[in-house]
Amino acid sequence: MRFLRFTAISGIGLVVDIVMALFLHRVAGVPLWLSATLSFLAVGACNYLLFEFWLFRSDNSAVSMRRLAGVLLSAACAGGARIATIVAIEPFVDAVLTASWLRDTLILLAGASVSLTVNFVINSRIVFKRNTQGLPPEEL
């Protein structure tokens, strides 16, 4: 069940993230890497509340500065992985694709996929570990 909730949060967040990044890049003229960073942080700020009170909810769920810091640290690690992915693959994609809208979208999706994986692993295994111990497999 948690995986389905995580997928819902991530899917909605990914759409908002990509649309916001493309808007900042294509309309506002912000460099792609900075657009990706800003949109990632905006979506990440909302995710803490969803994680705390819905995805990893427990009897002792409350605003926690420690978990908030953990989510932000996780987001920073995932963001670093995302930006590194974008910077690493951008030159290779340039050599293959000429349609800039497709190019930008594919690069952002690759970066988002890497950051999504990093973020889930850190949050589920470290930050909110207290909420997954003892759960049956169907609840994970």
Side-chain angles (χ1 to χ4, degrees):
M1 188 65 163
R2 284 182 195 251
F3 180 73
L4 293 176
R5 288 187 223 157
F6 178 80
T7 302
I9 292 169
S10 300
I12 293 166
L14 177 61
V15 170
V16 171
D17 187 6
I18 297 295
V19 168
M20 182 184 291
L22 286 171
F23 175 83
L24 289 170
H25 179 62
R26 303 306 246 153
V27 176
V30 177
L32 189 60
W33 69 268
L34 183 56
S35 297
T37 303
L38 294 173
S39 64
F40 180 81
L41 291 174
V43 170
C46 296
N47 282 354
Y48 165 72
L49 294 173
L50 292 169
F51 290 167
E52 184 69 57
F53 296 107
W54 187 49
L55 181 61
F56 298 112
R57 179 185 54 204
S58 71
D59 291 339
N60 61 347
S61 284
V63 174
S64 163
M65 297 314 274
R66 183 188 64 78
R67 286 188 297 277
L68 173 59
V71 168
L72 294 176
L73 182 58
S74 176
C77 292
R82 179 183 189 181
I83 292 166
T85 300
I86 290 169
V87 169
I89 68 171
E90 203 169 10
F92 298 105
V93 175
D94 280 342
V96 176
L97 294 174
T98 56
S100 63
W101 67 269
L102 179 60
R103 170 202 170 275
D104 294 346
T105 304
L106 291 175
I107 291 169
L108 289 170
L109 285 171
S113 297
V114 170
S115 67
L116 177 74
T117 303
V118 169
N119 206 14
F120 177 73
V121 169
I122 293 172
N123 278 297
S124 64
R125 302 292 184 201
I126 299 170
V127 178
F128 293 97
K129 184 177 180 180
R130 69 168 180 11
N131 297 359
T132 58
Q133 293 174 334
L135 285 176
E138 64 272 7
E139 287 297 316
L140 294 175

